[in-house]
Amino acid sequence: MSTTVSKDGTAIGYDRIGAGPAVILVAGATQYRAIDQQTPELARLLSEAGFSVINYDRRGRGESGDTLPYAVAREVEDIAALIGVAGGRASLYGASSGCALALEAAQAGLSVDRLVLYEPPYVVDDSWAPPPRDYFEKLAAFREAGDKAGALSYFFTASIHMPVEQVEAMQKSPFWSMLEPVGHTIEYDALCMGKEAVEGGLASTQRWNRVTQPVLVVDGDASFPFMAGGANAVAKVQGAGRKTLPGQGHGPAPEAIAPVVVEFLRG
């Protein structure tokens, strides 16, 4: 593991593999290297295709620090630090809510070449109930109370719509002890997504109007029912390319998504 330091002094832990044009993998909610088995495999496949791949822990997770107060701009600065590690330029691969963060980084004017976005989780139709209107307020309350487990449980029930019984079973599993430390970062992802994630839809087609890089938005046809609509909406806003992977869910198999990323990044 290596570490770089973000603009505000926060240590950001990362792994780097391969040589060639740089790609930074931007994780979605709850993902970090110690529990994520798929992303390192994706990094390996991309490195074998001739890329230098950086897989990092977003702030507040794993081996990265968490200087407070949180702001989306600080996460953009984290990516800027990693672009510096990469040599000054990089493409971004965003997964789930990491798509919104990747777009924010490009919008901020960082030296980003291309973006591949897998299933930005925006609810834009009636195939899925969006989170409650007080979603942000509830997450803030959990943070203020230091209740990471409560934030996680609320996310799974209010946003993912998992049955309470299923969440309670998760809480009794060994895996929960690895999820709970990053429970507070659920709020970070909500802030990256923006208020439109609660209200449904993309509230402003101008949100990323300064993103001029080529963008490819991808979804899987075996995913949550609302993912296709969210992918279509983001692709429309960005004038982006669009692709659907057969048989893939919200966490695509590395061997399914890697060829798509390679083809697009090679231009």
Side-chain angles (χ1 to χ4, degrees):
M1 186 200 78
S2 299
T3 302
T4 189
V5 178
S6 193
K7 184 178 180 180
D8 70 346
T10 303
I12 303 297
Y14 69 93
D15 294 312
R16 186 177 184 182
I17 183 174
V23 186
I24 298 172
L25 308 180
V26 185
T30 73
Q31 283 182 286
Y32 66 105
R33 289 173 301 155
I35 65 172
D36 183 359
Q37 297 178 345
Q38 288 187 313
T39 304
E41 177 63 10
L42 173 59
R44 183 187 68 82
L45 293 173
L46 295 178
S47 71
E48 291 178 351
F51 292 92
S52 174
V53 188
I54 293 176
N55 180 26
Y56 76 105
D57 290 336
R58 287 174 55 185
R59 63 172 54 208
R61 311 180 193 187
E63 300 294 333
S64 291
D66 193 21
T67 305
L68 300 176
Y70 175 82
V72 175
R74 303 293 82 77
E75 288 222 67
V76 171
E77 291 169 357
D78 300 344
I79 294 176
L82 292 164
I83 290 176
V85 168
R89 301 200 66 84
S91 292
L92 304 179
Y93 170 80
S96 190
S97 52
C99 297
L101 179 54
L103 283 165
E104 289 296 326
Q107 173 88 337
L110 302 192
S111 297
V112 173
D113 293 323
R114 288 172 174 254
L115 300 95
V116 179
L117 309 176
Y118 189 84
E119 294 198 343
Y122 288 99
V123 179
V124 298
D125 54 37
D126 59 3
S127 65
W128 194 263
R133 293 279 178 169
D134 60 351
Y135 185 65
F136 284 88
E137 289 78 7
K138 288 284 182 64
L139 290 177
F142 285 120
R143 170 179 46 78
E144 290 167 1
D147 188 357
K148 297 181 179 182
L152 271 178
S153 299
Y154 182 66
F155 167 68
F156 287 129
T157 55
S159 181
I160 307 300
H161 304 314
M162 291 175 60
V164 173
E165 297 77 15
Q166 188 174 350
V167 176
E168 291 174 346
M170 287 178 61
Q171 292 171 340
K172 297 174 183 177
S173 73
F175 186 59
W176 188 261
S177 65
M178 301 187 75
L179 277 181
E180 187 172 343
V182 301
H184 64 295
T185 66
I186 294 297
E187 182 184 21
Y188 299 177
D189 283 274
L191 292 168
C192 285
M193 290 284 292
K195 191 170 177 57
E196 60 266 32
V198 172
E199 296 176 344
L202 291 176
S204 171
T205 58
Q206 299 301 309
R207 176 173 177 184
W208 301 302
N209 63 337
R210 294 193 302 275
V211 176
T212 59
Q213 296 90 339
V215 179
L216 176 67
V217 185
V218 188
D219 73 326
D221 67 4
S223 190
F224 295 105
F226 70 93
M227 290 297 176
N232 289 337
V234 172
K236 183 177 180 181
V237 168
Q238 291 309 113
R242 183 74 173 82
K243 191 174 184 67
T244 296
L245 298 183
Q248 299 304 307
H250 194 50
E255 61 270 19
I257 187 64
V260 175
V261 176
V262 169
E263 180 182 19
F264 183 71
L265 296 189
R266 283 179 176 166

